[in-house]
Amino acid sequence: MSDTSHDRLLIIDFGSQVTQLIARRLRELNVYCEIHPYQNVTDAFLAEFAPKAVIFSGGPASVFDEGAPQPPASVFGIGVPILGICYGQQVMMHMLGGKVEQGYGTAEFGRAYVTPSDDRIDLLKGWFLEAREQVWMSHGDHVSQIAPGFEVYGTSPNAPFAITADLDRNFFAVQFHPEVHHTPNGKTLYENFVKLAGFTGDWTMGAYREEAIRKIREQVGDAKVICGLSGGVDSSVAAVLIHEAIGDQLTCVFVDHGLLRQNEADEVVTMFRDHYNMPLVHADESDLFLGELEGQSDPETKRKIIGKLFIDVFQKHANEVGGAKFLAQGTLYPDVIESVSFSGGPSVTIKSHHNVGGLPEKMGLKLVEPLRELFKDEVRALGRELGLPDSFIGRHPFPGPGLAIRCPGDITRDKLDILRKADAVYIDQIRKHGLYDEIWQAFVAILPVRTVGVMGDFRTYDYACALRAVTSVDGMTADYYPFSHEFLGETATRIINEVKGINRVTYDITSKPPGTIEWE
Ligand code: XMP
């Protein structure tokens, strides 16, 4: 079931890696859209959906493939503007009487420049800021003859039909991908397209919230739902949204594994139980986790122990909730794309990431994942819409295994206490200097070495620690943050003076790759 209170745009998906980015550009323009795989778009579907405009996505196929994906021919007869992108352009030309050729020698992958032949049409208004505009191409086949009724409005060296349109029918077709970052002015094209299709931009994060709530109610009915709450942005936003949808049918389970940061458990429990009145199980399992981790120093062993215990504990508390049929998770769109391998082949495990994977099948639970279509910044916007405080929404990511992977070597309660204190001073410094929001993630790692120092007239023999701070867009790659020497000096002095147990501070200047963000 779809939202019917807004003008709707239909994106027919032919399998491009970047289809979701089209939706994202449209959402930035406050246009309601839905992505549907081409197989599901039948004549009946089109009639029921009643789109105000249609976009054909790109895709890996060739129109020459047997059973090549196609939209239903009726889409060309419903009288609404259509924009075809890359494969979408080719299939449009193919179906409307143009020609597509296989691209030996004319394939284009990467940056290209389109020159306008006529930029007065509505689609291109304000688009060509330069004599030629940078675009992102990624195609093997190309259109060699346009369909009757179409004219050319832009060319690139390898795509003589880079931009074409049939102005009578409001059909537009481009060979490049306007939705990607590497087509810097691509948003203008979408803006022009939705404007000429008559969209008023009435769809907002508030509307997304309403729609998501309706869908959650529809999916869950009167069943019980459990949600593993970590205190991170994603699971917090998911929990608040689901609670708004189904109230006390939701129970959150917050597992305190003894590896949290200073005051973290209090902050999370106060916020969700007291402020949001959510049923919340605070499972203090620190003895169990720290007991099992005793004497373990191998990073993968630590991760595996924590992952397994987490599932056991979660299952125990979930059973106590009784009869839950659904498990809620704050899965984001990037998690969804990354889990689909490009090659289909197995990839090397760098680190076993811990989550509650494995649970749904084991417990016969179905998943509720209301953030699956969103990017991190959109989740933050939704969090604001739901009234979560900024201090919570802007929090740096914190890994499931917590401080265990910031404590190379043996994990002891002593070391964890020292680490918590040092981390709190470091984050305080970053906040005081107004740098918190510029940094993707910052933390202290306590090192398994002790060094000699002198304080006052006394010899010290204490732990060394490393400060880490990185900038990143998605955590996949990262650069170290270029703090000033003054900042680093002041922070080191504060940590050594305020945290008993540390007498040496270093700054980690490794990027990812070759390093990773966490130390283990
Ligand atoms: P790495 O260390 O792999 O970290 O460069 C990339 C991002 O992922 C976080 N991280 C984790 N998050 N469970 C999580 O939920 C994990 O096991 C885990 N390991 C790393 C890390 O903090 C960074 O944001």
Side-chain angles (χ1 to χ4, degrees), residues 302 403-420 422-423 443-450 462-467 499-502 504 519-520:
K302 288 182 189 173
L403 300 182
I405 58 175
R406 297 176 179 177
C407 188
D410 287 356
I411 299 170
T412 64
R413 284 180 192 268
D414 268 2
K415 278 203 225 166
L416 290 174
D417 282 344
I418 295 170
L419 173 54
R420 273 189 199 100
D423 193 73
F443 57 87
V444 175
I446 185 163
L447 305 185
V449 270
R450 293 208 282 166
D462 285 330
Y463 288 108
C465 73
L467 312 181
V499 183
K500 191 164 173 343
I502 287 188
R504 195 171 297 260
W519 270 53
E520 288 194 335

Side-chain angles (χ1 to χ4, degrees), residues 150-168:
F150 279 80
E151 307 237 7
V152 180
Y153 294 96
T155 56
S156 80
N158 275 342
F161 304 119
I163 305 172
T164 60
D166 174 338
L167 297 182
D168 287 341

